[in-house]
Amino acid sequence: MAGPLLQTKLHVPRLRRGLVARPRLSELLTGARESALTLVSAPAGFGKTTLLAEWLATDPVDERSVAWLALDERDNDPALFWTYLVAALQTAAPEVGAAALALLQSSQSPMGAGLTTLLNDLHAVPHDVVLVLDDYHVIESREVQDGMAFLLAQLPPQIHLVIAGRADPAMPLARLRGRGELVEIRAAELRFTPAEAAEYLTTVMGLTLAAGDIAALEGRTEGWIAALQLAALSLRGRDDVAGFIADFAGDDRYIVDYLAEEVLQRQPEHVRRFLLETSILSRLGGSLCDAVTGRAGGKATLEALDRGNLFLVPLDDRRQWYRYHHLFADVLHARLLDEQPGDVPGLHRRASDWYEQHGEPSEAVRHALTGQDFGRAADLVELAIPALRRGRQEATLRRWLEALPDEVVRVRPVLSIGYVGSLMVSGQVEGVEERLRDAEQWLDPTTAEGPQGRSGEMVVADEAGFRALPSAIAMYRAGRAVILGDATGTMSHARRALDLAGSDDHVGRGAAAALLALGYWTTGDLDAASRWYADGMAHLEQAGQLSDVIGCAIALADIQIAQGRLREAMGTYAGALQLATPPTGPVLRGAADMHVGIAGVLLERGDLEAARRHLATSDDVGEHAGLEQNRYRWRLAMARLRQAEGDLGGALGFLDDASNAYISDYLPDLRPVAAMRARTCIAMGRSGEELGWVRERALSVGDDLDHLREFEHITLARALVARFPTEDGERSMSGAVQLLERLLRAAEEGGRTGSVLDVLVVQAVAHQTRGDMPAALPPLRRALALAEPEGHVRVFIDEGAPMGSLLRAVAGEGVALGLVRRLLAALDGTSESAPVRAGPIVPLSARELEVLRLLGSDLGGPDIAGRLFVSVNTLRTHTKNIYAKLGVTNRRAAVRRGEELHLLARTSDGRSGRAVIADR
């Protein structure tokens, strides 16, 4: 992020002298203090930016700070947009966004992690902040638009968003309008009234005009400010004012073209030449203008243009940077292309050179591309690839590469690999292998004149990137194999990448080891997978890629849990959590995931209170609202907690939420939500639903067994056991018993002790259900012996009363006696491990419960206040008290917390029953 560029983007435009006072608009803008969104929407030239700058400079509001961000097309890259937005907010609230910015700039952090962390910071800001996004119409990225909609929905009341642009943003304007949370100023309000037009022409522009001329000019321009300014500039020094006014007419575009030409023709030749040649620039500075024009005096010329009100917009307080008004710039550039088309490439080349020399590669690339200097652009892009990857700007890299002619990219193997990376980051594999082969063939000396007969010689700008190509090619082939579900190919290419990576290439070696581990995991070799994940994590930690280490920890702990090694899994989570929460510096992406993982182990060990604390901490970190993987895993853990508390309907609700939140990633989905939901339905006695799931998944007792579907097949066995002694129940039971025997052998051979425990417990229950207690006790004894060293508890307790009978039958045998006693105490409800319900430390009053219920509806603040017959300020007081008691910071979190604490009832199928307050 370049210093000068950032400064100009974050600068509130400086007010010009002698502005027209427009109290009617200032009065409209006072509503912004109470509204979530203020929208200033109108075509170009209506004074949107000037209006907001004037309001912010003159509005008499104490203890309010301003954050300003001027946007352009480059900000469609999500990484750039959010980084700039955080930087803007830090000008108003310096304590905001340190952790968020680190997450946003991490090469591995999901965008939502930084965004949600930012929201947490904003809720803690003690004063009002006005965040202005100028020229928002340039934002077309769906990812950015969705992120802004999410941000707007979660903004605390002290943060006020103001958007200025030529088109309405992709936000729920109708809903905000209906709730009274939207202030709108459009072209109809921005047009000069006749009185304002008269003041502007006479006082600001210094013209002496008759009342009839002013009225005629205002009528011709219809109060359009840009046209009035152009007309006023053209009128200076004219004798035949009335004749001039009568000469121009037509639509808006015609008026601007006509008047701009008039203004240009009245400038001295050296000024006119300066205007045309610098029209290629998005911002203007003295040194830059000197470099582009090839002449000195750029700073003085800019200052003179500024004094003459010649459509120059200052971008800082020191008069170092300016830009042309967009309309005027369009006219200037069109005239440049018309009069001097042959000069344009050279102007862009000089601009590109200047930006490269001043450390702004993004602008250097833009000018090289615009000037169609594709060789230079390709060199610049190739050299920028490492920084773009570190900054998560793959969208920018892909946009640049796709702007280059294909024949330029294909003779540059480093660019080809860069393009592969920009495709695969979004899971796209089409065209990847072709690009990999192109790059690979350039490495063969026998194809020095071009692979597969392609013309041209190989071009390399980044020698270090070229040396790393062999390993990178193998790495991307391994990643492609993962996406395609080819475990064998994944392992083969990952091994090759390891062989080719240098001993000091810890990033390359760590990534390759992790891919190899994933391949082993997919094929069922958990021991090898565990070893390679540990090796990969060690390399990645040595390289300082801590976010990657934490991501691998999730996979490693999942494997250890599958192996029944709860202690090692807890150690893996704890170690990664320590990395994610350093004593100094921001909390890293993945901290919430580690708390969820620890909670899962604690749940299995029967420590519900400790598990609840870790899940609450994960919630407080806030990442589950933005981190896709954590959002899914957090809801799964909450479902398990609800089931452990005896709230099966609540468990179903969280499972349904988890299903909606699930986004497939590279890790195998070994415990599908649908199978977990079927198990919960079995526990609730809803046999029809789980049988529907069996048919949908085409499961049968005669299936070939695969560890990837092992959890589903054990669930099938549970469903068959649950049918006994209904019609056809005996045949179902026999099929279940046979399936369980096969599953047990497969799990034992694969070292999957977690599955072994699950199968043994189901076997014991199955025999007990048939009335065969002698056959039920051996698998139970073995399960207890396996479970005791690692502290497995829930696998037994979740079976409920039938397990109690079984445990009493073995209680006197001395097998795992301590564990048996603990299990029986938990099942009888006499221990701390028995299900308990947690409520807020300070209970909510009846009025606060009523407010909380309405917060769960679609009503806006004013509507809720009206429903309760209180003022909006009183409602805010109730809301703040609710937030404090529940330990949350926004409306959505309050409703969710209310549901979790059973302050809001859930229906029997787990959906939120927000219209009912539960009796407590």
Side-chain angles (χ1 to χ4, degrees), residues 773 777 780-781 803-813 820 824:
M773 286 295 286
L777 297 183
L780 177 62
R781 295 187 189 102
M803 180 55 63
S805 300
L806 287 167
L807 290 170
R808 291 185 187 93
V810 299
E813 298 180 0
V820 170
L824 284 171

Side-chain angles (χ1 to χ4, degrees), residues 87 103 201 412 439 536 544 589 623 646 652 703 748 762 795 855:
L103 289 168
L201 292 170
R412 295 170 178 263
R589 169 250 181 178
E623 291 184 348
L652 276 182
D703 289 342
E748 289 173 335
V762 180
V795 68
L855 289 176

Side-chain angles (χ1 to χ4, degrees), residues 40 267 354 410 505 535 588 699 827 851 859:
V40 183
Q267 303 305 315
W354 188 92
R410 289 190 181 273
D505 182 7
D535 182 77
L588 300 182
L699 294 167
L827 286 167
V851 171
L859 294 175

Side-chain angles (χ1 to χ4, degrees), residues 147-226:
M148 278 303 303
F150 173 78
L151 185 73
L152 176 61
Q154 302 292 329
L155 280 180
Q158 71 272 28
I159 310 298
H160 310 283
L161 178 61
V162 179
I163 286 179
R166 301 179 190 176
D168 285 357
M171 292 180 177
L173 300 183
R175 187 187 311 163
L176 293 169
R177 192 180 294 119
R179 292 178 174 179
E181 297 177 357
L182 175 65
V183 173
E184 296 175 89
I185 298 178
R186 299 184 176 276
E189 292 81 27
L190 289 168
R191 295 182 189 276
F192 272 161
T193 64
E196 290 168 347
E199 182 182 354
Y200 176 76
L201 292 170
T202 58
T203 303
V204 177
M205 300 303 293
L207 299 175
T208 303
L209 300 175
D213 292 333
I214 292 175
L217 193 55
E218 191 277 332
R220 287 296 181 94
T221 60
E222 296 183 342
W224 188 24
I225 300 171

